[in-house]
Amino acid sequence: MKQNQLWLNSLITSNPQEGFELAIKLSRMGVKSTQPDMEVLKKLRVEYANSASGLTMASHVIAVNFQTISAANNYWR
Amino acid sequence: MKQNQLWLNSLITSNPQEGFELAIKLSRMGVKSTQPDMEVLKKLRVEYANSASGLTMASHVIAVNFQTISAANNYWR
Amino acid sequence: MKQNQLWLNSLITSNPQEGFELAIKLSRMGVKSTQPDMEVLKKLRVEYANSASGLTMASHVIAVNFQTISAANNYWR
Amino acid sequence: MKQNQLWLNSLITSNPQEGFELAIKLSRMGVKSTQPDMEVLKKLRVEYANSASGLTMASHVIAVNFQTISAANNYWR
Amino acid sequence: MKQNQLWLNSLITSNPQEGFELAIKLSRMGVKSTQPDMEVLKKLRVEYANSASGLTMASHVIAVNFQTISAANNYWR
Amino acid sequence: MKQNQLWLNSLITSNPQEGFELAIKLSRMGVKSTQPDMEVLKKLRVEYANSASGLTMASHVIAVNFQTISAANNYWR
């Protein structure tokens, strides 16, 4: 992750689905911050995208980030 | 997940049970966002649906999403 | 889980202990939503009920659901 | 867990430390709700009390329950 | 953990860093409540302090406790 | 972690991205508090930065810390 690149300007989205997509992005940026090498990430992605527990863990991280984004957007009420 | 398909319009449901069902849906969409291939998902589903820890992990993700949806609905008070 | 069966009418309970029991129920419904076959569930239950990490994971899911229910009940203050 | 026994009357405690002790109790009751046999629990306890990851998982569950109890007590401010 | 020893008087700290240190303490007390034997704890500490997943799990518990303490301190705003 | 070194002055950041970077820092400090030896950390980092589940677990801890920081900043609304 290049720190000087702007990728997270706001947590506000126009609807829940865009919020969910932002949650996916945050989850991936959390991974990239630890392993920035795209080649390694692609290889590992194949691995956990074919593992039941890997996918459930990924969905868990998205759920936590979606909780944050939903609160930020006052749940799009 | 086709990004341009609308599947999450609102977090508001008419009662807690519908909220729980939406939490299940969000949990599955979190999985699909990482592994969109339905054939792979079906195969893996058999695997974790027969694993005690896989099922508990799935229930955990649903619990986190249900927390978000419950707050969005002001707990259907 | 038969979707058309009503099992979650409200998150409101008369005291914390009933709230805890509801949290247990939600945790089990999260499992059932993924594996509805009661025979498989009974077999797996023996497995994780005799595993230290399985039991701790189960208690974790209950804790998350109890957090939701406690907030819904304004912590029974 | 005998359902008809009253063990959780209130989430309110007189100070943070008692709240932490209640969090420990809730975590154990979460375990007991899945495995009520005290003999099995004692045996498993030896197992996870001597496992680094088992202990960290136990501390995690306590942390979630302590979060709930702290909010219930308005953080004893 | 000697129950009658006072170790958690308040969740209020003078700044975020002290709050983080208190979160570390709570995480350790969660472990000690399950395994009070200091000799066993020292031995296990060596184990998980040299395990990548053990350290990430420990950091996770601290994060949950820090969330509680941050809310208690109104985020030191 | 040298306790007397000031590294966490405030949870307030000027925007979400800086908040995310602070969440990464908190996650690492949680690890360092358990294993302060930088040589060991570097070695373990290689290990989990090449493990799919290790990276997902790291992203999970960042998500929890980001939740705290986002609330502290009133979600940068």
Side-chain angles (χ1 to χ4, degrees):
Chain A
M1 183 171 55
K2 296 202 184 109
Q3 304 286 38
N4 29 13
Q5 216 175 325
L6 185 65
W7 62 272
L8 185 60
N9 206 23
S10 168
L11 298 183
I12 307 307
T13 69
S14 48
N15 59 58
Q17 187 163 333
E18 284 185 22
F20 198 80
E21 282 155 20
L22 181 53
I24 295 169
K25 188 180 175 182
L26 289 181
S27 307
R28 288 182 182 160
M29 291 309 277
V31 167
K32 268 191 203 169
S33 70
T34 308
Q35 176 52 274
D37 186 328
M38 285 306 290
E39 287 313 304
V40 177
L41 287 179
K42 270 182 208 160
K43 217 176 56 188
L44 293 176
R45 195 183 162 82
V46 176
E47 188 188 308
Y48 81 86
N50 289 285
S51 144
S53 69
L55 287 170
T56 309
M57 285 166 75
S59 182
H60 199 152
V61 182
I62 292 167
V64 175
N65 280 318
F66 186 60
Q67 197 165 68
T68 306
I69 292 164
S70 296
N73 286 278
N74 204 22
Y75 304 98
W76 301 274
R77 273 185 210 125
Chain B
M1 183 171 54
K2 298 209 182 101
Q3 303 286 37
N4 28 12
Q5 217 176 323
L6 185 65
W7 62 273
L8 185 60
N9 205 22
S10 168
L11 299 183
I12 307 307
T13 70
S14 49
N15 59 57
Q17 186 162 332
E18 283 185 22
F20 198 79
E21 282 154 21
L22 181 53
I24 295 170
K25 188 181 176 181
L26 289 181
S27 307
R28 289 182 183 162
M29 292 309 277
V31 167
K32 268 191 204 169
S33 70
T34 307
Q35 176 52 273
D37 186 329
M38 285 306 290
E39 287 313 303
V40 177
L41 287 178
K42 271 182 208 159
K43 218 176 55 188
L44 293 175
R45 196 184 162 82
V46 176
E47 188 189 309
Y48 81 87
N50 289 285
S51 144
S53 69
L55 287 170
T56 309
M57 285 166 75
S59 182
H60 199 153
V61 182
I62 293 167
V64 174
N65 280 319
F66 186 61
Q67 198 165 68
T68 306
I69 291 163
S70 297
N73 287 279
N74 204 21
Y75 303 99
W76 301 274
R77 271 184 212 125
Chain C
M1 183 171 53
K2 298 210 181 99
Q3 303 286 38
N4 29 11
Q5 216 176 325
L6 186 65
W7 62 272
L8 185 60
N9 205 23
S10 168
L11 299 183
I12 307 307
T13 70
S14 50
N15 59 56
Q17 187 163 332
E18 283 184 22
F20 198 79
E21 282 154 21
L22 181 54
I24 294 170
K25 187 181 176 182
L26 289 181
S27 306
R28 288 182 183 162
M29 292 310 276
V31 167
K32 267 190 205 169
S33 70
T34 308
Q35 176 52 274
D37 185 330
M38 285 307 290
E39 287 313 303
V40 177
L41 287 178
K42 270 184 209 159
K43 217 177 56 187
L44 293 175
R45 196 183 161 83
V46 175
E47 188 189 309
Y48 81 86
N50 289 286
S51 144
S53 68
L55 287 169
T56 309
M57 284 166 76
S59 181
H60 198 152
V61 182
I62 293 168
V64 174
N65 280 318
F66 185 61
Q67 198 165 68
T68 306
I69 292 164
S70 297
N73 286 279
N74 204 22
Y75 304 98
W76 300 275
R77 271 185 212 126
Chain D
M1 182 171 53
K2 298 206 182 103
Q3 303 286 39
N4 29 12
Q5 215 175 326
L6 185 66
W7 61 272
L8 184 60
N9 205 22
S10 168
L11 299 182
I12 307 307
T13 70
S14 50
N15 59 57
Q17 187 163 332
E18 283 184 21
F20 198 79
E21 283 154 20
L22 181 54
I24 295 170
K25 187 181 176 182
L26 289 181
S27 306
R28 289 183 181 160
M29 291 310 277
V31 167
K32 267 190 204 170
S33 69
T34 308
Q35 177 50 275
D37 185 330
M38 284 307 289
E39 288 312 305
V40 177
L41 286 178
K42 271 184 208 159
K43 216 177 56 187
L44 293 176
R45 196 183 161 82
V46 176
E47 188 189 309
Y48 81 86
N50 288 285
S51 144
S53 68
L55 288 170
T56 309
M57 284 166 76
S59 181
H60 198 152
V61 183
I62 293 167
V64 174
N65 280 317
F66 186 60
Q67 199 165 67
T68 306
I69 292 164
S70 297
N73 287 278
N74 204 21
Y75 304 97
W76 300 274
R77 273 185 209 125
Chain E
M1 182 172 54
K2 297 204 183 105
Q3 303 286 38
N4 30 13
Q5 214 176 325
L6 185 65
W7 63 273
L8 185 59
N9 206 21
S10 167
L11 298 183
I12 307 307
T13 70
S14 49
N15 59 57
Q17 187 163 332
E18 284 185 21
F20 198 79
E21 283 155 20
L22 180 54
I24 295 170
K25 187 181 176 181
L26 289 181
S27 307
R28 289 183 182 160
M29 292 309 276
V31 167
K32 267 190 205 171
S33 70
T34 308
Q35 177 50 273
D37 185 329
M38 285 305 290
E39 287 313 303
V40 177
L41 287 179
K42 271 184 208 158
K43 217 176 56 188
L44 293 176
R45 195 183 163 81
V46 176
E47 187 189 309
Y48 81 87
N50 289 285
S51 145
S53 68
L55 288 169
T56 308
M57 284 166 75
S59 182
H60 199 151
V61 182
I62 293 167
V64 174
N65 280 317
F66 186 60
Q67 198 165 67
T68 306
I69 292 164
S70 297
N73 287 278
N74 204 21
Y75 304 98
W76 300 275
R77 273 183 209 127
Chain F
M1 182 171 55
K2 297 206 183 102
Q3 303 285 40
N4 30 13
Q5 215 175 324
L6 185 65
W7 63 271
L8 185 59
N9 206 21
S10 168
L11 298 184
I12 307 307
T13 69
S14 49
N15 58 58
Q17 187 163 333
E18 284 185 21
F20 198 80
E21 283 154 19
L22 181 52
I24 295 170
K25 187 181 176 181
L26 289 181
S27 307
R28 290 185 181 158
M29 292 309 277
V31 167
K32 268 190 205 171
S33 70
T34 308
Q35 177 51 273
D37 185 329
M38 285 306 290
E39 287 313 303
V40 177
L41 286 179
K42 270 185 208 158
K43 216 176 56 188
L44 292 176
R45 195 183 162 82
V46 176
E47 188 189 308
Y48 80 86
N50 289 285
S51 144
S53 68
L55 287 170
T56 309
M57 284 166 75
S59 182
H60 199 152
V61 183
I62 292 167
V64 175
N65 280 317
F66 185 60
Q67 197 165 67
T68 306
I69 291 164
S70 297
N73 286 278
N74 204 21
Y75 304 98
W76 300 275
R77 272 182 211 127

